[in-house]
Structure formats: C-alpha cells, structure tokens
C-alpha cells in the first residue's frame, strides 16, 4: 500500500443540518490523522454547508445525472455538485442500481459526466447473495465494473488520481455481517487484475480499491490487512464521529498490501 488509506463515509439519505456537528467532529479528528484520507458523501443538501467549514476532509456526492443540464426535474448535474464543493461522486451504488434501475450503461455515462466536470469517481460494484451462491461472483463483478467504467480512450490522463473502485457485496451492506477476509481478498485481487488489463501497468496498480459492507471499528483492522484493500466505503458506521473515526484509526496502522 503506497497511497494513503482512503476512508469514505456514505451518509445515504441520513442527515439534516443537525448532523453538521458530527461532520465538524469528523473534520477535527481527521486533522489529527493526516496519514489517512477521510471524506464524507452527505446528502446533496449538506454538501455545501460541510464544504464551507471543513478544513481537512473532502466532501462528495452520492450520485449525479449523466447530462450537463436541461429539463431533468429533480436531478442534479456533476457540475452542480462540484459547484457546491464536492470533489468526488459515488457512482453505481447498488442502492441506485437496484432502487433506481440504473444500468451499467447509465453508470458509465454518469462517470463520463463526472470526469468531465473535474470530479473524482468512486465506482461501486458488487454481487447479490444469489450470484455469490451460484459461484459467479468474480465473473459478475468483473463484467459489471468493465461495463460501468468509460472506455479507456475517454478516461482522464491522471486516472489513478481520479478513479477509485469500491467493492460492496450487496448481501453485506447494512446487514452487520461483512464479507470474510478471504472473500474480500479474492475479489480485490480480481478487481486489481481487471484494472491492470483495462488501464495498463502504469495506472492499473495505482487505483485504490475500497471495501464496503458492514465495516465497523471492530472489524476494520482485519479488513485493512487484506492485500489490495486501500480503504473503506462506510455506511451506517460513518454517521457518528466516534465510530467513523474508529475505522479511520484502524487505517493508521501500516497496511500489509
Ligand atoms: P454499511 O456500512 O451500512 O453496511 O453500508 C455500506 C455502504 O453501502 C456504503 O456505501
């Protein structure tokens, strides 16, 4: 692990302005741990308020529209979230793919829009329990990821800085049961191999691969010790500074990979 561990909180549809105090506490704690890169993706409504106050943490969005602008009632563009202070966007989360019918092609278009707006992208992928039980998890995730990333010719030159992959097995999200370190190791190895195939020997090894799905302070150190794990995408445990920074602290220990 040559790059700083990256710990990202996905607040999902949680958080009104009452949560700003939690964001402040996370920012203060992150200032004391500069060896870890800490970021939060709050609901759209909190991007600007958190960005305005944050001194250390980056702020991101949980989605964006694929178009630059236009008649898309209720949607928000990549340029708009960037204007509000977001420096990255989470795309292809399973809650968007399943809850909003987002296809690989749509996620790919969103990634193109996000890169064009200067944002970094956290590209999510992950299989259902049924796919894992059928023994097809690795093949499924490889296919999903390859189809969700824009073609190589359309990626920004500094892709390793701009792209991050998050492996989030759907059956581990919000269940309290993370994937085993063996399952994580196998999938992250497969994702790394795909990234090298797609991006080449210069960039493929540098893109960080995060694990997400029931990461908690109690299991974080074991997950971070898995080869090719470059950090975590955290849902429920990112909602309080105590638990979120407990996970970030676990990442200050030297990574094995
Ligand atoms: P939990 O950490 O709540 O399982 O959520 C993971 C997730 O979906 C992060 O994007």
């Amino acid at each position: 692990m040559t790059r700083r561990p990256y710990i990202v909180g996905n607040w999902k549809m949680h958080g009104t302005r009452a949560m700003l105090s939690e964001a402040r506490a996370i920012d203060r704690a992150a200032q004391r741990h500069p060896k870890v890169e800490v970021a939060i993706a709050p609901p759209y409504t909190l991007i600007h308020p958190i960005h305005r106050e944050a001194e250390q943490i980056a702020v991101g969005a949980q989605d964006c529209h694929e178009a630059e602008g236009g008649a898309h009632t209720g949607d928000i563009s990549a340029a708009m979230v960037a204007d509000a202070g977001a420096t990255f966007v989470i795309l292809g989360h399973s809650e968007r793919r399943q809850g909003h019918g987002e296809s690989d092609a749509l996620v790919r278009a969103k990634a193109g829009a996000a890169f064009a707006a200067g944002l970094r992208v956290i590209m999510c992928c992950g299989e259902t329990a049924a796919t894992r039980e059928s023994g097809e998890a690795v093949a499924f995730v490889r296919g999903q990821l390859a189809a969700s990333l824009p073609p190589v010719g359309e990626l920004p030159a500094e892709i390793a800085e701009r792209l991050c992959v998050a492996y989030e097995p759907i059956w581990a999200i919000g269940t309290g049961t993370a994937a085993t370190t063996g399952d994580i190791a196998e999938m992250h190895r497969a994702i790394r191999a795909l990234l090298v195939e797609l991006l080449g020997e210069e960039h493929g090894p540098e893109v960080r691969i995060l694990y997400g799905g029931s990461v908690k302070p109690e299991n974080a150190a074991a997950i971070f010790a898995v080869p090719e794990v470059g950090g975590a995408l955290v849902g429920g445990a990112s909602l309080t500074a105590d638990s979120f920074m407990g996970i970030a602290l676990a990442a200050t220990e030297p990574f094995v990979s």
Side-chain angles (χ1 to χ4, degrees), residues 8-12 90 93-95 124 166 168-170 172-177 211-216 232-238 247:
V8 184
N10 174 8
W11 279 9
K12 308 192 178 183
I90 298 170
H93 193 284
S94 58
E95 288 154 15
C124 299
E168 299 207 310
I170 295 171
I173 294 176
T175 60
T177 306
Y211 168 77
S214 296
V215 178
K216 306 171 262 204
L233 185 54
V234 185
S238 71
I247 293 168

Side-chain angles (χ1 to χ4, degrees), residues 79 86 89 147 161 173 187 207 221 233 249-250 253:
V89 60
E161 289 302 319
I173 294 176
M187 190 62 81
V207 173
L233 185 54
L249 270 181
E253 302 301 316

Side-chain angles (χ1 to χ4, degrees), residues 78-144:
M80 288 170 183
V81 296
D83 181 56
T87 54
F88 70 94
V89 60
I90 298 170
L91 292 175
H93 193 284
S94 58
E95 288 154 15
R96 303 277 332 159
R97 292 179 186 269
Q98 294 191 325
H100 295 263
E102 293 195 3
S103 64
D104 294 343
L106 178 61
V107 174
R108 168 180 273 183
K110 290 181 176 204
F115 285 135
L119 293 169
R120 293 163 76 181
V121 168
I122 298 179
M123 177 60 72
C124 299
C125 56
E127 80 286 356
T128 61
T131 300
R132 176 150 291 274
E133 278 153 26
S134 72
E136 296 297 316
V138 168
F140 174 83
V141 167
R142 275 182 61 99
Q144 184 185 53

Side-chain angles (χ1 to χ4, degrees), residues 54-243:
E55 292 186 16
Q56 179 79 14
I57 60 172
V59 187
Q62 300 169 17
D63 184 38
C64 68
H65 197 272
E66 70 278 17
E68 274 180 40
H72 303 286
T73 301
D75 284 313
I76 188 155
S77 73
M80 288 170 183
V81 296
D83 181 56
T87 54
F88 70 94
V89 60
I90 298 170
L91 292 175
H93 193 284
S94 58
E95 288 154 15
R96 303 277 332 159
R97 292 179 186 269
Q98 294 191 325
H100 295 263
E102 293 195 3
S103 64
D104 294 343
L106 178 61
V107 174
R108 168 180 273 183
K110 290 181 176 204
F115 285 135
L119 293 169
R120 293 163 76 181
V121 168
I122 298 179
M123 177 60 72
C124 299
C125 56
E127 80 286 356
T128 61
T131 300
R132 176 150 291 274
E133 278 153 26
S134 72
E136 296 297 316
V138 168
F140 174 83
V141 167
R142 275 182 61 99
Q144 184 185 53
L145 186 56
S148 300
L149 290 172
V152 172
E154 294 172 23
L155 292 172
E158 69 294 12
I159 188 64
E161 289 302 319
R162 303 281 298 279
L163 175 67
C164 177
V165 171
Y167 169 55
E168 299 207 310
I170 295 171
W171 45 272
I173 294 176
T175 60
T177 306
T180 65
T181 52
D183 287 344
I184 297 172
E186 179 192 37
M187 190 62 81
H188 280 232
R189 200 165 43 237
I191 292 171
R192 175 65 67 210
L194 176 67
L195 289 170
V196 173
E197 277 170 43
L198 293 175
L199 306 176
E201 287 292 343
E202 186 188 342
H203 302 299
E206 294 297 319
V207 173
R208 282 182 295 199
I209 309 171
L210 313 182
Y211 168 77
S214 296
V215 178
K216 306 171 262 204
E218 303 82 57
N219 61 17
I223 291 170
F224 294 150
V226 173
E228 301 294 0
V229 171
L233 185 54
V234 185
S238 71
L239 294 172
T240 66
D242 271 359
S243 59

